[in-house]
Amino acid sequence: MPIEIKVPSVGESVTEGRISRWLKPDGATVQRDETVCELETDKATADVPAPATGVLRHGAKEGDTVAIGAVIGSVDPAGATAARAPAANGPTSRQADRPPTIPEKKVPVLMPAARRASEEEGIDPATLTGTGKGGRILKEDVQAAVGQVSSLSKKDAPPVASPDPKSAPSPLPPTKPAGQVGNLSYERPAGSRETRVRMSGIRQRIAERLVQSQQTTATLTTFNECDMSAIMALREKFKDKFKEKHGVGLGFMSFFVKAAVEALKAFPTANARIDGADIVQQHFYDVGVAVSTERGLMVPIVRDADRMSFADIEKKIGELAVKARDGKITVTDLQGGTFTITNGGVFGSLLSTPILNPPQAAILGMHSIQKRPIAVGDQVVIRPMMYLALSYDHRLIDGREAVQFLVRVKECVEAPERLLLEI
């Protein structure tokens, strides 16, 4: 009897999802717990496994929106047994008269980023060799294949003879729809000028959250700048020993997470949230770190950051970033959070005003490091400087608290020994 494949629950607040891709075709033989399709929700992408070994039957199409718990297909265990039985007993006379069937081509397991890259480049996934875990195809495998095809095309292309300008026919001009604006006429270039693509569930959710933030909070931003000399000198001195001992690089983000936690302890209102007419004080420090992915901005959570060492924070951020970029982030990784840090500096941003992530009351923005002349005592010196921005909900946090919060972060960054001494 066929066993139903149901949409799994991926989080308390998620009620539906969209089938982004079937990884196994209809009628294929699948193994128990093998991923058969990808489910895209408004928060993350989840793998849907086969409930048993047997023949897969699709019950929903790619792109369909399905509710949590809905049946999207089935697996028939008897189908796999029936398929194996004739092979064991030898072909029947009827089977002998049939033409030989082409064996089903195994569809390799594609990571989401690799799938998008293969579709854009027109690469057949079956021709690729996966270098990821379990033979999974990564985006790098697709890029390598594209490079090989490009080089072979150039190598095998026959030389093109220069045409005789006297004998060559005159090319016909492309058709260009004409138009007119006022007294001026114009011609549009031939070909399509726009492409319509449906927004992914995650992109729709991001758009909703950003608009919600702007409409439901009283957002204000205060700015400051910090001298990165001390942190850069510390990293340069101990980065090799740090990586040798902990197996991870010492980045800037762990310093800012630690500095933010110290500021949150000093100004607990920045770690609170509004619930109706109540202010909810949160006595834990779950810091969200914004990560840019091909599918949009995600904010995985570093939980209990106040209890973690620099190495633990760096490892956790690296782990979450890889999961987010590979499309393996879970709803649990994204839920909650009392404060957020975003680093636009990695893309070259000099200054910005971060948008709040409700119901959080504040968000810290980091920016690019630039050498600038500043006054130190009575002298002008060149120092690596970074602009900091703190966006906050003015309904909950007053300007004085916000400014002092940012000053506290600045003090911890400019004198990182404060983080060790907790002063």
Side-chain angles (χ1 to χ4, degrees), residues 20-21 62 110 112-125 128 142:
S20 60
R21 179 179 174 86
E62 292 183 358
L110 288 172
R115 182 183 72 245
R116 286 187 292 274
S118 64
E119 292 173 350
E120 292 173 356
E121 300 292 346
I123 298 294
D124 183 2
L128 302 175
V142 179

Side-chain angles (χ1 to χ4, degrees), residues 14 26 32 44 54 153 162 172 183 191 194 250 259 267 285 288 344 404:
V14 179
D26 187 73
R32 179 182 176 87
S153 299
S162 300
L172 296 176
N183 297 325
E194 58 183 29
L250 178 60
F267 302 94
Y285 305 92
Q404 290 178 331

Side-chain angles (χ1 to χ4, degrees), residues 365-381:
M366 301 166 55
H367 299 91
S368 61
I369 302 172
Q370 288 193 336
K371 290 185 177 181
R372 295 197 296 273
I374 64 170
V376 177
D378 294 329
Q379 294 182 334
V380 176
V381 297

Side-chain angles (χ1 to χ4, degrees), residues 80-93 95-96:
T81 305
R84 290 194 298 267
N89 300 327
T92 62
S93 58
Q95 291 172 333

Side-chain angles (χ1 to χ4, degrees), residues 271-323:
N271 201 50
R273 59 184 171 86
I274 294 177
D275 184 12
D278 298 330
I279 296 175
V280 180
Q281 297 284 355
Q282 299 170 130
H283 307 295
F284 57 94
Y285 305 92
D286 289 355
V287 179
V289 178
V291 176
S292 179
T293 72
E294 293 183 356
R295 302 170 65 238
L297 187 69
M298 296 185 181
V299 187
I301 309 300
V302 178
R303 304 193 186 278
D304 295 321
D306 57 316
R307 302 180 182 179
M308 301 176 72
S309 66
F310 282 83
D312 292 336
I313 293 173
E314 293 289 353
K315 290 177 182 177
K316 191 62 178 179
I317 291 175
E319 172 193 328
L320 292 171
V322 170
K323 291 176 67 176

